[in-house]
Tab-separated table of all heavy atoms in Angstrom:
chain	number	residue	atom	x	y	z
D	183	PHE	N	105.173	101.910	109.137
D	183	PHE	CA	104.182	102.145	110.193
D	183	PHE	C	103.757	103.587	110.222
D	183	PHE	O	102.504	103.916	110.281
D	183	PHE	CB	104.674	101.736	111.605
D	183	PHE	CG	103.928	102.333	112.740
D	183	PHE	CD1	102.674	101.970	113.077
D	183	PHE	CD2	104.493	103.478	113.364
D	183	PHE	CE1	101.959	102.573	114.074
D	183	PHE	CE2	103.846	104.073	114.432
D	183	PHE	CZ	102.516	103.658	114.786
D	184	ILE	N	104.688	104.517	110.238
D	184	ILE	CA	104.456	105.973	110.273
D	184	ILE	C	103.509	106.376	109.116
D	184	ILE	O	102.512	107.039	109.243
D	184	ILE	CB	105.746	106.711	110.243
D	184	ILE	CG1	106.558	106.442	111.531
D	184	ILE	CG2	105.410	108.208	110.191
D	184	ILE	CD1	107.927	107.022	111.447
D	185	THR	N	103.909	105.986	107.931
D	185	THR	CA	103.179	106.386	106.728
D	185	THR	C	101.765	105.780	106.702
D	185	THR	O	100.792	106.443	106.377
D	185	THR	CB	103.953	105.968	105.421
D	185	THR	OG1	105.216	106.483	105.501
D	185	THR	CG2	103.258	106.367	104.174
D	186	LEU	N	101.665	104.469	106.948
D	186	LEU	CA	100.345	103.825	106.951
D	186	LEU	C	99.412	104.366	108.015
D	186	LEU	O	98.231	104.564	107.757
D	186	LEU	CB	100.481	102.295	107.210
D	186	LEU	CG	99.202	101.501	107.019
D	186	LEU	CD1	98.624	101.683	105.675
D	186	LEU	CD2	99.480	99.985	107.374
D	187	SER	N	99.958	104.712	109.161
D	187	SER	CA	99.106	105.324	110.220
D	187	SER	C	98.554	106.737	109.759
D	187	SER	O	97.421	106.997	109.956
D	187	SER	CB	99.970	105.495	111.504
D	187	SER	OG	100.455	104.319	111.989
D	188	ILE	N	99.442	107.526	109.135
D	188	ILE	CA	99.000	108.831	108.665
D	188	ILE	C	97.917	108.670	107.570
D	188	ILE	O	96.886	109.338	107.502
D	188	ILE	CB	100.191	109.628	108.097
D	188	ILE	CG1	101.232	109.980	109.257
D	188	ILE	CG2	99.739	110.893	107.415
D	188	ILE	CD1	100.710	110.863	110.267
D	189	PHE	N	98.168	107.681	106.695
D	189	PHE	CA	97.142	107.406	105.622
D	189	PHE	C	95.858	106.999	106.129
D	189	PHE	O	94.754	107.537	105.751
D	189	PHE	CB	97.749	106.315	104.698
D	189	PHE	CG	96.791	105.913	103.655
D	189	PHE	CD1	96.559	106.632	102.453
D	189	PHE	CD2	95.989	104.710	103.788
D	189	PHE	CE1	95.690	106.200	101.518
D	189	PHE	CE2	95.058	104.325	102.783
D	189	PHE	CZ	94.950	105.099	101.652
D	190	LEU	N	95.869	106.058	107.114
D	190	LEU	CA	94.560	105.569	107.720
D	190	LEU	C	93.849	106.767	108.436
D	190	LEU	O	92.637	106.817	108.393
D	190	LEU	CB	94.863	104.382	108.643
D	190	LEU	CG	95.328	103.091	107.985
D	190	LEU	CD1	95.629	102.094	109.067
D	190	LEU	CD2	94.351	102.581	106.978
D	191	PHE	N	94.578	107.591	109.116
D	191	PHE	CA	93.948	108.651	109.783
D	191	PHE	C	93.395	109.686	108.759
D	191	PHE	O	92.275	110.191	108.971
D	191	PHE	CB	95.030	109.385	110.684
D	191	PHE	CG	94.491	110.533	111.417
D	191	PHE	CD1	93.684	110.328	112.555
D	191	PHE	CD2	94.717	111.875	111.023
D	191	PHE	CE1	93.192	111.429	113.296
D	191	PHE	CE2	94.242	112.956	111.744
D	191	PHE	CZ	93.475	112.694	112.872
D	192	ALA	N	94.133	109.968	107.745
D	192	ALA	CA	93.720	110.905	106.709
D	192	ALA	C	92.453	110.469	105.977
D	192	ALA	O	91.673	111.284	105.449
D	192	ALA	CB	94.831	111.228	105.740
D	193	THR	N	92.181	109.176	105.866
D	193	THR	CA	91.125	108.633	105.088
D	193	THR	C	89.881	108.138	105.922
D	193	THR	O	88.975	107.569	105.354
D	193	THR	CB	91.579	107.427	104.250
D	193	THR	OG1	92.173	106.463	105.062
D	193	THR	CG2	92.572	107.896	103.193
D	194	THR	N	89.892	108.518	107.227
D	194	THR	CA	88.738	108.153	108.036
D	194	THR	C	87.620	109.139	107.935
D	194	THR	O	86.520	108.872	107.446
D	194	THR	CB	89.194	108.031	109.519
D	194	THR	OG1	89.895	109.169	109.910
D	194	THR	CG2	89.998	106.772	109.745
D	195	LYS	N	87.836	110.371	108.355
D	195	LYS	CA	86.802	111.389	108.265
D	195	LYS	C	87.514	112.752	108.302
D	195	LYS	O	88.725	112.854	108.342
D	195	LYS	CB	85.922	111.230	109.469
D	195	LYS	CG	86.580	111.320	110.806
D	195	LYS	CD	85.582	111.188	111.944
D	195	LYS	CE	86.330	111.253	113.286
D	195	LYS	NZ	85.428	111.081	114.471
Side-chain angles (χ1 to χ4, degrees):
F183 158 75
I184 296 170
T185 304
L186 184 59
S187 297
I188 295 294
F189 173 81
L190 293 177
F191 181 75
T193 55
T194 48
K195 58 182 179 179

